[in-house]
Amino acid sequence: MFGLTEFYVNEDELDQLSDVELARLEDRLRLEQELDVRKQAQLTAGRVIVFLLSALGIALTLMIFARVVPTERLGPLNIPLYLMAIGAGIGLGHGVWYVAGYAVRNAVRWVLGHWPVVLFILAALARLSGG
Amino acid sequence: MIDRAARLERIRVLLDERRHPERRIGIFSATNLTRLVLRLVLMGVVGGLAQRVLPSGPIGVTLTALAIGAADMAFGRAWARVQGQVQRGFRAGTSVLVVVLLLGTLVALLGPNSGIGRGLRGAGSDFLAEQNARLDRRNRARGIAVDPAQASGADWQLLIADSLLVKGTYREAEAWCRELGPGWGLPGGLGNLPTLSSWPTLERPVSVWAAGRSAIQIGDGQRPSVGSSGGYRDTEVKVVLCVQGGP
């Protein structure tokens, strides 16, 4: 998926890579895990985002269908339409995360990876702003 | 330099997981849950200490957040070193647990009359009996208020104490009704109901003992039409209705 399956890394050459190349490599490996639906599930920050983006994508696709498709074809038994919406939504969610870029992905991973600290900061901010 | 070394280590782990997806740590795995618990406990302790030591206000909150963040990062580094061992430990522990459960199942299936099987079953039934007795004791202590004027009729009497309906076991109910005098006893069951001048009217229906270890439901002022034919425990308690001319 997204051209990641042909990705190849020689572990012996890792030390020769620059810091930037290592950061890109780590991002690429993480992205590969986050977007790969075939392997054993492992909850990582990126996977949570992909899940949420997919849910958002499904909702968005359904909204578009509701506007575009004639009302008489939107019955509860139009299974192909819903399957199409789910597929398109999941594809959209994965696609958005793929094109989000290295900086955005890393920032989101950091924030979600330190969620207890982030929660504390948000709670503290809410308390301070509330007096 | 430390960042580079840490990144290299992370990449090696990612590459290893890429080659062996089965080694990934699932969200609900014991390893991950252990990590989560330890992480939260550590951050909670550090946060609590920081809040106690530091002054309140924006500066205190900021420093507390920094302390929690530092503890979180330190824990992350320490955990990365021991994660493999923890995972292997849980794997071994799980295997031992599975073996013990399998052996227990075999003993229960193949040796129903063996000492272990009897012991296991005995422990189970003892536990059940103990729990039932506890519930019965609680039920006995839970009083049902009743107007004393409504607790007796021309040929029947509900046993009360301090305006509360008395509850007892079947044996106690039989004895208490006999003590009321000759001709007094428990009412018959659903197929053998006595003909009374009236039936009790209470605020809500209650189940009372009937002859033959059965029970009937009274309280609506009508002849009972709901009841049970028996199967009660020795310790089970119910409200006691005594009737004159009972069986």
Side-chain angles (χ1 to χ4, degrees), chain B residues 1 14 53 108 131:
Chain B
M1 202 60 198
L14 284 167
V53 173
Q131 293 304 312

Short mmCIF file of all heavy atoms in Angstrom, two decimals, chain B residues 1 14 53 108 131:
data_model
loop_
_atom_site.label_atom_id
_atom_site.label_comp_id
_atom_site.label_asym_id
_atom_site.label_seq_id
_atom_site.Cartn_x
_atom_site.Cartn_y
_atom_site.Cartn_z
N MET B 1 24.05 13.33 20.22
CA MET B 1 24.68 12.00 20.12
C MET B 1 23.81 10.93 20.77
O MET B 1 23.60 9.86 20.23
CB MET B 1 26.06 12.06 20.79
CG MET B 1 27.01 10.97 20.33
SD MET B 1 27.32 11.05 18.56
CE MET B 1 27.96 9.44 18.26
N LEU B 14 12.19 -1.26 15.18
CA LEU B 14 11.17 -1.20 14.12
C LEU B 14 11.49 -2.20 13.00
O LEU B 14 10.59 -2.86 12.47
CB LEU B 14 11.10 0.22 13.54
CG LEU B 14 10.38 1.25 14.41
CD1 LEU B 14 10.65 2.66 13.91
CD2 LEU B 14 8.89 0.99 14.43
N VAL B 53 5.67 20.31 46.66
CA VAL B 53 6.88 21.11 46.90
C VAL B 53 6.77 22.50 46.26
O VAL B 53 7.13 23.49 46.87
CB VAL B 53 8.12 20.37 46.34
CG1 VAL B 53 9.35 21.24 46.42
CG2 VAL B 53 8.33 19.07 47.11
N ALA B 108 -10.16 -32.74 36.44
CA ALA B 108 -11.60 -32.64 36.64
C ALA B 108 -12.35 -33.59 35.71
O ALA B 108 -13.37 -34.17 36.09
CB ALA B 108 -12.06 -31.21 36.40
N GLN B 131 -21.76 -18.11 50.46
CA GLN B 131 -22.33 -16.90 49.86
C GLN B 131 -23.85 -16.86 50.04
O GLN B 131 -24.42 -15.82 50.35
CB GLN B 131 -22.00 -16.85 48.34
CG GLN B 131 -20.53 -16.66 48.03
CD GLN B 131 -19.96 -15.41 48.68
OE1 GLN B 131 -20.53 -14.34 48.61
NE2 GLN B 131 -18.84 -15.56 49.37
#
